[in-house]
Amino acid sequence: MLDRLGIGEHFEAVFDIIAADLEPKPALQTYQKFLRVHGVNPEKSAMFEDLARNLVVPHELGMTTVLVCPTAPRKWCARTGNWKAATRITSIMSPMI
């Protein structure tokens, strides 16, 4: 699908529900498997999500967490844990590089 969209070259891999052994977010073991399989250091990574409940575990694992709420009212974006709101992705990613 990524190749059909013309963006396949920008991704090394996809970690989907099949790769997660059908265990969906926000299950701890799903995040742990992703980190292990792809050799990701949680302290140098970020999780972007549109559901606040899916950011709790990544935050506990040490990831920077970002709740994405492009057009919803502020009350819809209820804060869960410690997440960052930013208009520029570089303000979030530059400390990790």
Side-chain angles (χ1 to χ4, degrees):
M1 173 144 182
L2 296 176
D3 288 334
R4 276 196 330 233
L5 294 171
I7 59 173
E9 67 191 49
H10 300 289
F11 295 87
E12 292 179 23
V14 173
F15 189 85
D16 59 9
I17 191 71
I18 302 301
D21 298 324
L22 303 178
E23 190 66 49
K25 299 178 288 184
L28 173 62
Q29 64 266 26
T30 297
Y31 294 99
Q32 289 172 327
K33 182 174 183 183
F34 168 79
L35 295 171
R36 185 179 68 253
V37 167
H38 295 286
V40 173
N41 177 350
E43 294 176 2
K44 293 197 168 271
S45 61
M47 174 71 178
F48 294 81
E49 176 63 53
D50 62 345
L51 295 174
R53 70 175 179 257
N54 289 340
L55 293 176
V56 175
V57 172
H59 172 71
E60 291 172 351
L61 291 170
M63 298 174 81
T64 295
T65 53
V66 181
L67 182 61
V68 179
C69 301
T71 59
R74 199 74 170 138
K75 65 181 180 182
W76 182 83
C77 296
R79 186 175 179 153
T80 302
N82 181 18
W83 53 269
K84 294 183 180 185
T87 55
R88 295 186 179 182
I89 194 167
T90 54
S91 67
I92 297 167
M93 301 304 290
S94 58
M96 291 179 242
I97 299 173

